[in-house]
């Protein structure tokens, strides 16, 4: 028989009980995390979102409560009433924050029972993620998950406060709207009222926030849900949350300042200090130094070791002399056998037209000085795992094909990024040996949101601004310049004159924020003049007609006194993931989709009724 709650009121949260509360009358409510039956004494670990406390049911003191205690099982919902007491010296549990005390119950109410769940929230690690997602309500009860969402709340609140304090207004924009320009596939919503017509879910509030600047709001932000129909990855979901902002009359430095302040506030809310200002690097330098536009600075970058190779080496080693030659090293890996090295070869992406050298004994036979020089240049220690990456002359596109004065060619970028990708794959694989990631893991494990305690995050988190991306990319297949960013991104004012005459040289006034190998966000100073917008559309091969069809309302708005403006959007889920020390976005999103884009709990997507389809003027064609 279950009990009613009646007029019982909770006095404390389980996790808050301390020695100082001893002697107080305490009413706890929560779930039975564990139950231990010692005959006349039954111990219940009771859990609520704040933590776990021990309740003792003594047959002498409460025969009725003890009897109920015999019947309760893990995950029953109970209320325990009694007096808090200090545990005896032998019974103190230093691993639990509440381990010095226990509730000596005088009454137990069983508020609800439970079906036997497929797993218990008290289990340390639950192996099967599908089961977790299907029964997400139970999974979310786990202490780690509760902690992740407390953290998420604190971070969101800190960002809201910081932006509000910086003069930003939180303004909502539509979810049912028109295709936006981020370039991913749209989710479409059929209109019942307008047969054959569709709304698109926003890939971001981009156009609306720009219009809010035209409307004079000056500083806007939104914790905005965005929808992109893309393949799922560990750091990508179909719907995700951005900290989206836009401001009028800014230089890029103003945007950086705003973001650095709210990031510092977010990190502080998690109990971690984050030094500002963040360093900056140009896109070209990021590619040269890390082979990536979202570099992880926790490990050494790439070194240019071209000067170590004498002329005859190119022929002998079959290396393209027109392309970069770089060394990468992973510290602390120690000597690897030939077999161990070969096991790593599949981690190298051969499609990028690059090759690598990892057998330095062999190289030393023909070019001993080269090996010495590579080690010197790259500062390689004896225990470092060293690899040289170079261009493969056998690749079908020659180095000169896409070379434009003053910028990296596609092939150069490919060689650098082959090295950069290899570097990050090996860094993951040998994390136990170089231990660079452990610094971050340990810090987030020890950090305590809300405690007022601040851990120094400067060695654990490495934010970096990537600036001066090229405005256009050359598309070999169509021999055309195509946009590298969404089409409202402004070029640098100094490069404006070259838009048509020399597109290769034009730098976009856009920026990315990367941290620990993750892209946290991107933004730009926007085009605010109709004439420039037209040139950009032209150079992107977007006709007037097409531009009007897609963004007509926005182009119209641009003609009505648009102030210079710019902004950025940061991935909130990714920020929380970093500070929670989670390996996957799903750990910080309440009800995420699987890699196959399914919500296992709600069972979405599903078919709908004929009637619904008819109303929406939709006929479904399935492959028979
Ligand atoms: N809307 C852009 C994005 O979602 C961000 C921005 O440019 O503000 O990537």
């Amino acid at each position: 028989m279950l009990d009613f709650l009646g007029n019982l009121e909770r006095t404390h949260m389980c996790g808050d009980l301390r020695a100082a509360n001893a002697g107080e009358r305490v009413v706890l409510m929560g779930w039975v995390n564990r139950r231990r039956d010692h005959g006349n004494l039954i111990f219940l670990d009771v859990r609520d979102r704040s933590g776990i406390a021990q309740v003792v049911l003594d047959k002498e003191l409460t025969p009725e409560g003890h009897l109920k205690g015999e019947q309760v099982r893990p995950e029953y919902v109970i209320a325990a009433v009694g007096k808090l007491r200090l545990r005896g010296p032998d019974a103190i549990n230093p691993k639990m924050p509440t381990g010095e005390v226990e509730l000596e119950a005088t009454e137990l109410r069983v508020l609800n029972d439970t079906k036997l769940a497929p797993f218990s929230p008290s289990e340390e690690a639950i192996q099967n993620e599908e089961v977790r997602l299907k029964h997400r309500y139970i999974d979310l009860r786990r202490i780690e998950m509760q902690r992740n969402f407390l953290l998420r709340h604190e971070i969101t609140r800190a960002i809201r406060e910081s932006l509000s304090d910086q003069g930003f207004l939180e303004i909502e924009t539509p979810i049912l709207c028109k295709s936006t320009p981020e370039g991913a596939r749209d989710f479409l919503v059929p209109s019942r009222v307008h047969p054959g017509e569709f709304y698109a879910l926003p890939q971001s509030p981009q156009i609306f926030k720009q219009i809010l600047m035209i409307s004079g709001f000056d500083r806007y932000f939104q914790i905005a849900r965005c929808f992109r129909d893309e393949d799922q990855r560990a750091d990508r979901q179909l719907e995700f949350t951005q900290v989206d902002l836009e401001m009028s009359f800014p230089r890029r430095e103003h945007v950086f300042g705003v973001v650095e302040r709210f990031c510092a506030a977010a990190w502080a809310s998690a109990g971690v200090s984050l030094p500002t200002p963040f360093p900056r690097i140009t896109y070209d330098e990021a590619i040269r130094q890390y082979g990536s536009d979202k570099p992880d600075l926790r490990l050494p970058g790439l070194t240019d070791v071209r000067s170590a190779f004498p002329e005859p080496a190119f022929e002998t080693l079959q290396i393209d002399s027109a392309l970069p030659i770089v060394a990468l090293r992973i510290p602390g890996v120690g000597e690897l056998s030939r077999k161990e090295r070969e096991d790593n070869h599949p981690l190298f992406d051969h499609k990028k037209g690059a090759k690598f050298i990892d057998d330095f004994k062999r190289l030393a036979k023909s070019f001993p000085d080269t090996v010495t020089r590579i080690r010197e240049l790259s500062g390689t220690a004896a225990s470092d795992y060293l690899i040289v990456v170079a261009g493969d002359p056998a690749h079908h596109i020659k180095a000169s094909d896409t070379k434009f004065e003053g910028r990296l060619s596609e092939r150069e970028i490919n060689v650098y990024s082959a090295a950069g990708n290899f570097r990050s794959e090996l860094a993951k694989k040998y994390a136990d040996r170089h231990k660079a990631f452990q610094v971050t893991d340990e810090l987030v494990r020890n950090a305590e949101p809300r405690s007022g305690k601040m851990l120094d995050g400067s060695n654990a988190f490495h934010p970096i601004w990537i600036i001066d991306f090229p405005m256009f990319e050359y598309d070999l297949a169509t021999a055309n310049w195509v946009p590298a960013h969404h089409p409202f991104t402004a070029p640098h004012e100094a490069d404006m004159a070259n838009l048509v005459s020399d597109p290769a040289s034009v730098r976009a006034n856009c920026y990315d924020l990367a941290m620990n190998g993750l892209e946290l966000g991107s933004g730009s100073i926007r085009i605010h003049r109709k004439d420039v917008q037209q040139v950009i559309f032209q150079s992107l091969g977007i006709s007037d007609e097409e531009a009007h069809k897609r963004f007509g309302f926005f182009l119209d708005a641009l003609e009505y006194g648009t102030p210079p403006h710019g902004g950025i959007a940061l991935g909130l889920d990714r920020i929380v993931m970093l500070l929670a020390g989670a390996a996957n976005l799903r750990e910080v999103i309440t009800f995420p989709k699987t890699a196959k884009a399914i919500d296992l709990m709600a069972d979405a997507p599903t078919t709908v009724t004929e009637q619904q389809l008819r109303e929406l003027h939709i006929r479904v064609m399935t492959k028979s």
Side-chain angles (χ1 to χ4, degrees), residues 182 204 206 209 228 242 244 486 522-524 526 567-569:
E182 268 71 30
S204 84
Q206 185 64 33
K209 69 172 171 176
R228 297 182 194 177
Q242 281 186 347
D244 190 47
H486 63 64
S522 62
S524 59
R526 325 294 181 188
I568 193 166

Side-chain angles (χ1 to χ4, degrees), residues 584-618:
N584 196 301
L585 277 186
R586 294 191 289 272
E587 302 299 314
V588 298
I589 294 177
T590 42
F591 304 105
K593 313 276 184 295
T594 63
K596 288 198 178 117
I598 292 170
D599 178 337
L600 284 173
M601 183 186 76
D603 185 24
T606 45
T607 53
V608 296
T609 64
E610 269 306 313
Q611 164 75 8
Q612 282 172 303
L613 288 176
R614 224 174 302 123
E615 275 177 5
L616 294 171
H617 325 280
I618 285 186

Side-chain angles (χ1 to χ4, degrees), residues 379-440:
T380 300
S383 62
D384 291 0
Y385 182 15
L386 176 70
I387 289 164
V388 168
V389 175
D392 182 354
H395 195 263
H396 65 286
I397 302 166
K398 287 285 157 276
S400 54
D401 281 1
T402 58
K403 186 66 188 163
F404 294 92
E405 200 45 42
R407 68 180 267 176
L408 294 170
S409 73
E410 281 309 302
R411 282 222 62 196
E412 286 169 323
I413 294 174
N414 276 336
V415 173
Y416 285 121
S417 58
N421 294 347
F422 206 20
R423 170 181 177 265
S424 23
E425 290 300 323
L426 294 171
K428 269 186 246 161
K429 173 157 179 182
Y430 293 107
D432 286 354
R433 303 202 195 169
H434 61 70
K435 300 196 163 54
F437 300 162
Q438 217 165 295
V439 177
T440 315

Side-chain angles (χ1 to χ4, degrees), residues 65-84:
H66 184 271
L67 193 66
K68 288 181 189 169
E70 285 183 333
Q71 286 151 16
V72 301
R73 293 290 172 264
E75 298 313 302
Y76 274 37
V77 186
I78 56 120
V81 183
K83 199 156 95 182
L84 199 71

Side-chain angles (χ1 to χ4, degrees), residues 164-185:
S164 308
D165 291 347
Q166 296 187 62
F168 286 77
L169 303 188
E170 185 166 8
I171 303 177
E172 288 172 286
T173 53
I175 294 293
L176 293 177
C177 57
K178 201 176 157 105
S179 194
T180 50
E182 268 71 30
R185 195 178 290 114

Side-chain angles (χ1 to χ4, degrees), residues 309-510:
F309 289 80
E311 206 49 43
F314 300 120
E315 180 68 32
T316 320
L317 301 168
Q318 280 296 294
I319 285 178
D320 194 328
S321 63
L323 287 170
I325 308 175
V326 291
L328 68 96
R329 63 186 179 90
I330 311 289
V333 173
E335 181 110 28
L336 295 180
S337 69
R338 169 179 295 269
K339 165 86 174 54
E340 283 171 314
R341 276 190 277 116
E342 281 173 4
D343 285 346
N344 292 333
H345 291 183
L347 298 175
F348 186 80
D349 182 359
H350 284 280
K351 291 193 292 296
K352 292 206 177 288
K355 59 202 288 188
F356 62 90
I357 301 170
D358 65 350
D359 189 345
F360 292 94
K361 281 198 187 116
R362 183 153 163 227
L363 182 62
K365 279 188 194 141
S366 353
F367 301 99
D369 296 346
T370 298
V371 175
T372 317
R373 195 76 191 109
I374 292 171
R375 290 186 165 277
E376 272 169 18
L377 285 169
S378 58
T380 300
S383 62
D384 291 0
Y385 182 15
L386 176 70
I387 289 164
V388 168
V389 175
D392 182 354
H395 195 263
H396 65 286
I397 302 166
K398 287 285 157 276
S400 54
D401 281 1
T402 58
K403 186 66 188 163
F404 294 92
E405 200 45 42
R407 68 180 267 176
L408 294 170
S409 73
E410 281 309 302
R411 282 222 62 196
E412 286 169 323
I413 294 174
N414 276 336
V415 173
Y416 285 121
S417 58
N421 294 347
F422 206 20
R423 170 181 177 265
S424 23
E425 290 300 323
L426 294 171
K428 269 186 246 161
K429 173 157 179 182
Y430 293 107
D432 286 354
R433 303 202 195 169
H434 61 70
K435 300 196 163 54
F437 300 162
Q438 217 165 295
V439 177
T440 315
D441 294 344
E442 264 168 33
L443 187 90
V444 295
R445 229 191 347 264
N446 294 328
E448 286 176 46
R450 280 184 169 172
S451 68
K453 198 174 84 186
M454 201 63 78
L455 302 180
D456 175 10
S458 54
N459 290 325
F461 293 102
H462 293 272
I464 184 163
W465 291 108
I466 323 292
I467 56 173
D468 296 348
F469 285 79
M471 184 82 183
F472 304 104
E473 275 164 10
Y474 192 72
D475 181 24
L476 263 187
T478 61
N480 251 331
W481 288 98
V482 294
H485 319 279
H486 63 64
F488 310 127
T489 305
H492 274 281
E493 286 173 7
D495 298 348
M496 211 78 99
N498 303 338
L499 269 180
V500 182
S501 56
D502 183 13
S505 72
V506 179
R507 292 160 304 155
N509 201 349
C510 67

